[in-house]
Every structure is written in structure tokens, then in C-alpha cells.
Amino acid sequence: MDLNHSVGNIFDSIPDAFENEIVDCLVQSKQLKIERIVSKGHTSPASGWYNQQLDEWVIVIQGEAVIAFDNGSEVMLKAGDHLSIPAFTKHRVKWTDPMQDTVWIAVHH
Amino acid sequence: MDLNHSVGNIFDSIPDAFENEIVDCLVQSKQLKIERIVSKGHTSPASGWYNQQLDEWVIVIQGEAVIAFDNGSEVMLKAGDHLSIPAFTKHRVKWTDPMQDTVWIAVHH
């Protein structure tokens, strides 16, 4: 296979057990960053809120999660669910399923 | 639910039958465009090659597809497989599974 056309899989290299949420950068350019995130009962950040300078688009590929916002609203995300989180929207991952890997794609732009 | 935090699902609104490949824009900004594409036996473009001015990152969420490049190489994509296609890399979707919906996410950046 041409190395310029190498294929990865979003489910690659997930260990059976992992202490911390796994974050892998898939694409980094001037325009954006695309990450693969794997959670298994993890919440984040450890304390407080994410309050990012960039817009974010996330999709849950497998698993289940709850994102909470500082205005009190919460959204449940199941496989296939996607959500835009504008810059400077305080949010956190309140819950992820402890019984399975929750695999996310996050696009920061 | 807060409309600012509205959730879509990547499998939403796929008809049982469709003549042309379905392309929906999920996010459009100055930085990028994120599309949901659904194919079912479709190939594209109708003739010739895609030869895009922007870098592209694609992932197959469900289904199977083959992308061909004008250097003769081909890649088979199954669920979870992702691939970066640099700008001005001539390519086309040579085959998609006619028996199921192939659901893609494409990020143009």
C-alpha cells in the first residue's frame, strides 16, 4: 500500500484497561485538529470546565456519554450522535459508560 | 433541550432508497466543512477524478468502500477506517457496497 494513502482504524490500539482517557491526534494542520478520544467511565476535565478558544465538533462512534454545560443543560450522546460546541462554551464530560469503550472523534477548528 | 446544544445523529434521515449519493453539510466555517455522505452502490464522481483544492480527512462509519488514486493504488475502507487525502490528490470512489448504506464523514480543511 502507498504510504501516502495509509489507512488507520478508529478502533485501533485500544488497551483492555487504561487509567486515563486516551487522546490521539489524527490530523493536525493550521486549520484544525482531529482527535480520537477513548473513555471508559472517565470524566473530564478533572475539575472545573473545558473553556476552549476553538470551536469543536464531536461525534460518539461507539459507547455513551453525557456532556454537561455550565448553564445547567446536559446532553446524552449515543453511537452516531454529534454536537457542535462553540468556542468559550463551558462544558465537561460528566459521565461515560464504565462498561464499554466510548470512542469519540473531536474536531477542533 | 437547549437549541444551542442540539444533537444530530449520523444515521438520521437516510431513506430506504435514493438515486444519488446523499451529501449533507454538518458544519461549515471559514476553517473547514464537515459533511455526512451516504452511498449505496454509488461511485463518484460520475466521470474522471476528484482533484480538490483542500485537504480532506474521511472516515467510514458504516459500510464498505474502495477509493482509487490516479497512481493506480486503491484502498478498501471498512467501518472505522479513516484516511487523509491531501489537496490535489486525484482520487475517486470506485466502489461502495450495494447491499448496505455506507455512511462517511468527510472533513475538508
Side-chain angles (χ1 to χ4, degrees):
Chain A
M1 181 180 300
D2 187 330
L3 280 176
N4 292 321
H5 305 142
S6 65
V7 175
N9 190 282
I10 204 71
F11 304 109
D12 280 349
S13 305
I14 300 175
D16 289 340
F18 45 100
E19 187 173 354
N20 299 310
E21 199 173 61
I22 299 169
V23 181
D24 296 303
C25 183
L26 303 178
V27 177
Q28 171 83 68
S29 76
K30 281 184 292 187
Q31 312 295 330
L32 55 67
K33 181 166 63 172
I34 302 178
E35 294 174 329
R36 189 275 300 263
I37 302 166
V38 186
S39 321
K40 194 172 186 176
H42 301 84
T43 59
S44 62
S47 64
W49 303 93
Y50 290 120
N51 192 21
Q52 299 160 330
Q53 295 187 31
L54 297 177
D55 292 332
E56 182 175 3
W57 180 81
V58 294
I59 179 167
V60 169
I61 303 298
Q62 172 186 287
E64 294 191 359
V66 174
I67 295 182
F69 297 88
D70 78 338
N71 67 357
S73 66
E74 296 183 1
V75 295
M76 174 91 188
L77 299 176
K78 304 177 305 298
D81 284 343
H82 56 84
L83 177 68
S84 284
I85 304 174
F88 301 112
T89 301
K90 290 184 181 176
H91 66 283
R92 64 193 184 92
V93 179
K94 182 182 179 181
W95 177 87
T96 56
D97 190 341
M99 302 301 289
Q100 64 176 324
D101 297 326
T102 294
V103 179
W104 316 67
I105 296 168
V107 181
H108 304 271
H109 61 102
Chain B
M1 180 178 299
D2 188 329
L3 279 178
N4 292 321
H5 305 142
S6 65
V7 175
N9 190 283
I10 204 71
F11 304 109
D12 279 349
S13 307
I14 301 176
D16 289 338
F18 45 102
E19 187 172 354
N20 299 310
E21 201 174 59
I22 299 169
V23 180
D24 296 303
C25 182
L26 303 178
V27 178
Q28 170 82 69
S29 77
K30 280 184 291 185
Q31 312 293 332
L32 57 65
K33 182 167 63 173
I34 302 178
E35 293 173 329
R36 190 274 301 264
I37 301 166
V38 186
S39 320
K40 194 171 187 176
H42 301 85
T43 60
S44 61
S47 65
W49 303 93
Y50 290 119
N51 191 22
Q52 298 161 331
Q53 296 188 29
L54 297 176
D55 292 333
E56 181 175 3
W57 180 82
V58 293
I59 180 168
V60 168
I61 303 299
Q62 171 188 286
E64 295 191 357
V66 174
I67 295 182
F69 297 88
D70 78 337
N71 67 357
S73 67
E74 295 184 0
V75 295
M76 174 90 188
L77 300 175
K78 304 176 305 297
D81 284 343
H82 55 85
L83 178 68
S84 284
I85 304 174
F88 302 111
T89 301
K90 290 183 183 178
H91 67 283
R92 63 191 184 93
V93 179
K94 183 183 179 180
W95 177 86
T96 57
D97 190 340
M99 301 301 289
Q100 63 176 323
D101 297 327
T102 293
V103 178
W104 316 67
I105 296 169
V107 181
H108 304 272
H109 61 103

